[in-house]
């Protein structure tokens, strides 16, 4: 492991909570596709499978920020364990209903409660922020490491989930996702030394982290970015099917994640200067432009190359986004703020998947790549219009009101220079 990455793991307990966070994050890439595979295997109804997957995404988008808000207020251990138990019980109920051929409404009911699954990526990033508060370069490396972990999950998670459900038994994929979730959450919450201190409601000042203008811009941009990811997944599967190699779709999409993983690894080694907001704008534009070659890929090998190149812009943009979230959200609401970006992605994935499916049905797979291109253009519009809001981060001192924060920006501009340029 290169020395900057070794350096961040010098902090006591960092290796253990990172491994626990990795295991707990595997369901993020396994559960949705596992449900689709399970339902299609058992019933052959792809419409029902897609509707259940969308229900899971919508549920997670609604419940995720609320759970993270409670985490900021009461602590990770007190909130994550009950929330995870609800999600695990709901998952067990779904598998039982599928096995017993229960009515469809029961499947939707249990799937909705699976959405209580906590955002483990936000939890581990909050721990890194707590350990390396004020150390811009180490925090940049830590966020890059977390992006690598995300991409590793998305490289192997779908392959494991689909493989188990098709080779072993239909419920195997979602079942293993639940096992990963239980191990990851309960192991993470057992590590109290690195857990960020909770902040009572009075310290948070009331209201949601989404009141931050900068966070609003990031969340809106991530809705469009999520539409890119969701549509690319759907259209690539359809394209591979048209080419007569549907099974190769998972490998092509793994190459997409691999590009992001490698870019994140290199990005974490860099010592960057300049405004993070400018770097974020460039990253969003790069993601949008990288979608255009997908329209020209006439076969799977060319498509794999195009997706690998497209993946190179993902992790650096995500890393910069997390740094901007920390700069624009009070520390007392940091976990909630990080979860809102994930919520934006989840909403975008659901919208992009639906739009891509409609275009593919109407005009074919190659035409479906218009959806990620249009989504990328929308992300650029949001980024350009909202860029100025990201250039003026607020202090993250606990318990300050908005007016006190504005005053502190002027009084402590030199002292806080490193915190406002985290990446």
């Amino acid at each position: 492991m290169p020395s900057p990455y070794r350096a961040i793991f010098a902090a006591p307990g960092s290796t253990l909570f990172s491994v626990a966070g990795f295991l707990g994050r595997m369901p993020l890439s396994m559960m949705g596709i596992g449900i689709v595979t399970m339902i299609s295997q058992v019933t052959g109804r792809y419409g029902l499978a897609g509707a259940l997957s969308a229900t899971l995404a919508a549920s997670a988008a609604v419940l995720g920020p609320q759970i993270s808000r409670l985490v900021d207020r009461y602590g990770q251990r007190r909130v994550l364990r009950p929330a995870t138990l609800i999600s695990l019980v709901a998952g067990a109920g779904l598998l039982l209903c599928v096995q017993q051929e229960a009515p469809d409404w029961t499947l939707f009911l249990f799937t909705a409660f699976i959405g209580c699954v906590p955002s483990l990526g936000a939890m581990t990033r909050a721990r890194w922020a707590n350990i390396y508060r004020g150390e811009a370069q180490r925090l940049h490396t830590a966020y890059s490491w977390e992006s690598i972990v995300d991409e590793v999950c998305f490289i192997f998670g779908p392959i494991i989930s689909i493989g188990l459900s098709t080779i072993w038994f239909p419920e195997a994929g979602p079942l293993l996702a639940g096992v990963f979730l239980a191990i990851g959450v309960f192991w993470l919450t057992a590590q109290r030394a690195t857990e960020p201190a909770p902040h009572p409601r009075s310290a948070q000042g009331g209201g949601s982290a989404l009141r931050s203008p900068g966070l609003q811009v990031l969340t809106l941009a991530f809705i469009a970015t999520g539409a890119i990811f969701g549509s690319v997944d759907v259209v690539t599967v359809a394209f591979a099917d048209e080419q007569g190699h549907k099974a190769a779709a998972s490998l092509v999409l793994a190459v997409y994640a691999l590009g992001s993983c490698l870019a994140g690894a290199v990005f974490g080694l860099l010592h960057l200067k300049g405004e993070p907001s400018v770097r974020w704008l460039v990253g969003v534009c790069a993601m949008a432009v990288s979608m255009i070659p997908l329209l020209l890929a006439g076969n799977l090998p060319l498509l794999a190359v195009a997706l690998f190149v497209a993946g190179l812009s993902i992790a650096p943009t995500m890393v910069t986004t997390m740094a901007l979230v920390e700069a624009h959200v009070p520390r007392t609401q940091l976990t909630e703020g990080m979860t809102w970006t994930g919520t934006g992605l989840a909403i975008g994935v659901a919208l992009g998947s639906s739009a891509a499916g409609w275009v593919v049905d109407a005009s074919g797979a190659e035409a479906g790549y218009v959806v990620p291109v249009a989504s990328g253009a929308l992300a650029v519009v949001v980024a350009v219009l909202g860029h100025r809001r990201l250039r003026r981060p607020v202090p993250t001192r606990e318990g300050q009101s908005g007016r006190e924060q504005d005053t502190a920006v002027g009084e402590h501009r030199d002292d806080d220079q490193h915190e406002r340029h985290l990446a």
Side-chain angles (χ1 to χ4, degrees):
M1 185 180 293
S3 57
Y5 289 108
R6 288 201 304 269
I8 63 172
F9 285 106
S14 57
T15 300
L16 292 179
F17 81 68
S18 182
V19 175
F22 165 68
L23 293 176
R25 242 178 296 181
M26 285 296 288
L28 182 66
S29 63
M30 294 178 63
M31 186 61 76
I33 193 67
I35 289 175
V36 170
T37 306
M38 174 181 66
I39 296 298
S40 62
Q41 289 279 102
V42 173
T43 69
R45 298 165 61 188
Y46 283 91
L48 175 61
L52 289 172
S53 179
T55 300
L56 176 63
S59 175
V62 172
L63 297 176
Q66 310 309 318
I67 292 173
S68 294
R69 189 175 180 183
L70 292 174
V71 166
D72 284 326
R73 187 176 302 172
Y74 300 108
Q76 293 186 2
R77 182 185 179 92
R78 291 182 62 186
V79 176
L80 297 188
R81 289 191 170 189
T84 300
L85 284 175
I86 294 173
S87 181
L88 292 174
V89 170
L94 174 65
L95 299 186
L96 184 62
C97 287
V98 170
Q99 189 180 54
Q100 298 298 319
E101 300 182 358
D104 289 352
W105 68 266
T106 62
L107 307 183
F108 284 98
L109 177 63
F110 284 113
T111 300
F113 280 98
I114 294 176
C116 285
V117 58
S119 175
L120 267 292
M123 305 304 156
T124 54
R125 287 178 172 93
R127 292 190 180 222
W128 286 119
N130 186 56
I131 293 173
Y132 292 122
R133 182 177 301 165
E135 300 183 48
Q137 184 57 40
R138 288 199 175 187
L139 197 53
H140 164 73
T141 304
Y143 286 157
S144 298
W145 171 257
E146 290 301 317
S147 290
I148 294 171
V149 173
D150 285 339
E151 297 306 333
V152 170
C153 290
F154 278 96
I155 290 172
F156 295 105
I159 296 175
I160 294 172
S161 186
I162 294 173
L164 287 177
S165 291
T166 54
I167 297 174
W168 199 5
F169 56 92
E171 298 86 0
L175 180 61
L176 183 60
V179 172
F180 277 134
L181 177 64
I183 295 174
V185 170
F186 284 88
W187 189 13
L188 179 68
T189 53
Q191 302 173 42
R192 305 299 297 276
T194 54
E195 179 180 349
H199 304 282
R201 186 170 186 175
S202 58
Q204 294 184 13
S208 170
L210 200 57
R211 294 181 304 169
S212 165
L215 184 58
Q216 292 170 8
V217 173
L218 295 172
T219 302
L220 286 173
F222 264 42
I223 292 176
T225 303
I228 294 176
F229 300 156
S231 56
V232 165
D233 286 351
V234 171
V235 180
T236 299
V237 172
F239 184 82
D241 194 16
E242 286 187 358
Q243 297 287 312
H245 302 284
K246 187 176 182 179
S250 61
L251 298 178
V252 174
L253 291 174
V255 170
Y256 187 30
L258 178 63
S260 178
C261 183
L262 295 177
V266 174
F267 192 68
L269 302 176
L270 302 179
H271 293 266
L272 303 172
K273 298 180 180 179
E275 291 281 350
S277 58
V278 175
R279 193 156 54 249
W280 179 78
L281 178 61
V282 172
V284 172
C285 292
M287 279 197 293
V289 172
S290 67
M291 292 296 105
I292 297 176
L294 302 184
L295 294 169
L296 307 176
N299 55 58
L300 286 175
L302 288 178
L303 179 62
V305 172
L307 284 175
F308 177 81
V309 174
L312 296 177
S313 60
I314 296 175
T317 307
M318 298 297 183
V319 172
T320 307
T321 298
M322 291 300 107
L324 288 171
V325 169
E326 192 189 7
H328 284 267
V329 174
R331 288 195 187 107
T332 56
Q333 297 176 301
L334 182 58
T335 308
E336 181 193 350
M338 290 181 172
T339 303
W340 272 114
T341 58
T343 295
L345 281 176
I347 295 172
V349 167
L351 295 175
S353 300
S354 300
W358 181 82
V359 173
V360 168
D361 287 342
S363 306
E366 288 193 50
Y369 283 114
V370 171
V371 178
V373 171
S375 301
L378 180 59
V380 170
V381 171
V382 173
V384 170
L385 294 179
H387 174 246
R388 291 186 178 181
R389 292 186 177 187
L390 297 174
R391 299 184 65 182
R392 295 186 295 274
V394 299
T396 54
R397 293 181 180 82
E398 299 169 8
Q400 286 185 318
S401 66
R403 180 173 298 178
E404 290 170 337
Q405 289 173 345
D406 292 338
T407 302
V409 171
E411 293 178 349
H412 303 280
R413 185 175 301 276
D414 293 334
D415 292 341
D416 291 343
Q417 187 74 18
H418 62 287
E419 288 188 16
R420 297 200 304 274
H421 300 285
L422 290 171

